[in-house]
Amino acid sequence: MKSAVTVSIVEQARKGPFVFHDDVAQGCRSAAELGFDAVELFAPSAESISALPLKQLLDQNSLRLAAVGTGAGMVIHGLHLCDADADRRTRAREFIRDIISAGAAFQAPAIIGSMQGKWDAVTSKETALEFLREGLNDLGDFAASLNVPLFYEPLNRYETNLATTMKEGVELLKSLQTTNVRLLADLFHMNIEESCIADGIRDGGSYIGHVHFVDSNRQAAGRGHMDFQPVAEALQEIGYDGYASAEAFPIPDSTEAARQTIETYRRVFGESASAWWNHPQQGM
Ligand code: LER
Ligand code: MN
């Protein structure tokens, strides 16, 4: 298990659930000071990632890049993979493809969350799922060619109507030709959609490649009413060894949200748990 914290440089997402905003250098410094292993970056475009002195900032702070978000394609351009318009679907894919490349330069997988889109009055559920599968197959194989997985994130019902639970996510992944797509388990979405969050983690099992570590109210872990102990146990049970990445509002401020996250992370995935994760054979 490794810890990560989100940094957004998307102006239009200034009110979004990201711990650090606007300044990647400051975000990296704070993340390193608090002892995070990595940062997760939400950027307006692939070009804006390439324009950053990211390698230098990561190296200076001994951080890794955990993942890169693609949601700016939706937030800024209104693009998504299920658009009824074929040209806009192509543009959505190109936007994601470029971010996959930018992330892969740092061995960081890209995340498809809001870019998955929704079905609606124009595009039926079956057609939307077909579009989504086409997109995931294409982008999953492209990511494989760059030696990174691609993360697909089930979202709550207010943000998508395609896959909202881990079980539906697994079904979707099983229906793909590509085997390079992994699930992102976001605890905030799971708190809304799963009957039991720990069972949802078990449903996702070995398909889970990334975790958004956040509380029930989208605030930093420890500031809501989520019981993290069963979640940690379920993650241990499935042998999860990816990132727990804080995708939370900067409440009361960025530094305090990050500090509370890492404190909760250490409490629930404490010493013995990390030893288990580092040496799973001893715990089995
Ligand atoms: C993206 O990771 C996500 O969880 C969205 O709900 C953020 O708005
Ligand atoms: Mn998320």
Side-chain angles (χ1 to χ4, degrees):
M1 181 74 93
K2 295 160 283 184
S3 59
V5 61
T6 47
V7 182
S8 169
I9 49 167
V10 178
E11 209 183 301
Q12 294 86 340
R14 193 64 194 76
K15 291 194 158 54
F18 306 102
V19 175
F20 294 106
H21 288 261
D22 304 332
D23 187 342
V24 181
Q26 182 56 47
C28 285
R29 265 197 305 278
S30 300
E33 271 165 29
L34 288 162
F36 281 91
D37 298 310
V39 289
E40 178 180 317
L41 184 60
F42 190 67
S45 63
E47 294 74 30
S48 65
I49 298 176
S50 311
L52 291 168
L54 193 52
K55 182 169 169 21
Q56 193 186 326
L57 290 173
L58 295 172
D59 288 350
Q60 275 170 359
N61 292 289
S62 304
L63 291 167
R64 308 268 311 166
L65 187 63
V68 283
T70 63
M74 165 62 92
V75 173
I76 301 176
H77 309 287
L79 296 170
H80 62 89
L81 293 173
C82 295
D83 201 299
D85 184 300
D87 287 343
R88 290 186 63 78
R89 287 202 301 284
T90 303
R91 278 184 60 201
R93 262 195 227 184
E94 282 167 359
F95 185 92
I96 295 168
R97 186 184 292 260
D98 289 347
I99 297 225
I100 291 173
S101 299
F106 298 89
Q107 294 86 48
I111 296 168
I112 296 185
S114 60
M115 284 295 273
Q116 68 191 272
K118 295 177 187 179
W119 62 267
D120 56 23
V122 180
T123 310
S124 70
K125 181 170 187 181
E126 291 67 34
T127 305
L129 282 169
E130 206 38 57
F131 289 157
L132 179 60
R133 283 190 197 100
E134 278 174 20
L136 292 176
N137 276 323
D138 175 34
L139 296 165
D141 283 346
F142 178 67
S145 76
L146 300 176
N147 297 313
V148 280
L150 176 65
F151 295 146
Y152 168 78
E153 179 174 22
L155 304 173
N156 74 67
R157 67 191 68 184
Y158 306 107
E159 299 185 39
T160 191
N161 49 19
L162 295 169
T164 54
T165 60
M166 287 298 117
K167 206 173 218 161
E168 287 172 350
V170 169
E171 276 166 28
L172 176 67
L173 265 48
K174 280 185 175 166
S175 74
L176 301 177
Q177 273 95 53
T178 181
T179 55
N180 192 43
V181 184
R182 287 281 160 273
L183 291 179
L184 195 172
D186 180 318
L187 302 180
F188 169 79
H189 297 303
M190 294 180 75
N191 177 60
I192 295 171
E193 297 297 343
E194 305 283 350
S195 308
C196 165
I197 300 177
D199 285 347
I201 302 269
R202 292 183 192 98
D203 290 342
S206 59
Y207 284 92
I208 297 180
H210 197 66
V211 170
H212 276 159
F213 182 65
V214 58
D215 220 311
S216 52
N217 50 2
R218 208 21 130 198
Q219 294 189 34
R223 294 183 63 85
H225 56 72
M226 178 137 352
D227 184 359
F228 285 98
Q229 213 51 53
V231 173
E233 281 164 22
L235 286 169
Q236 178 170 329
E237 231 177 278
I238 65 164
Y240 181 71
D241 67 353
Y243 285 99
S245 183
E247 187 185 59
F249 289 120
I251 297 176
D253 57 53
S254 298
T255 310
E256 182 55 19
R259 196 198 59 71
Q260 271 200 286
T261 295
I262 200 74
E263 191 182 292
T264 304
Y265 174 92
R266 287 179 180 138
R267 178 169 58 77
V268 300
F269 305 121
E271 279 308 302
S272 55
S274 18
W276 191 93
W277 270 298
N278 291 333
H279 309 285
Q281 69 282 5
Q282 292 173 10
M284 292 178 95

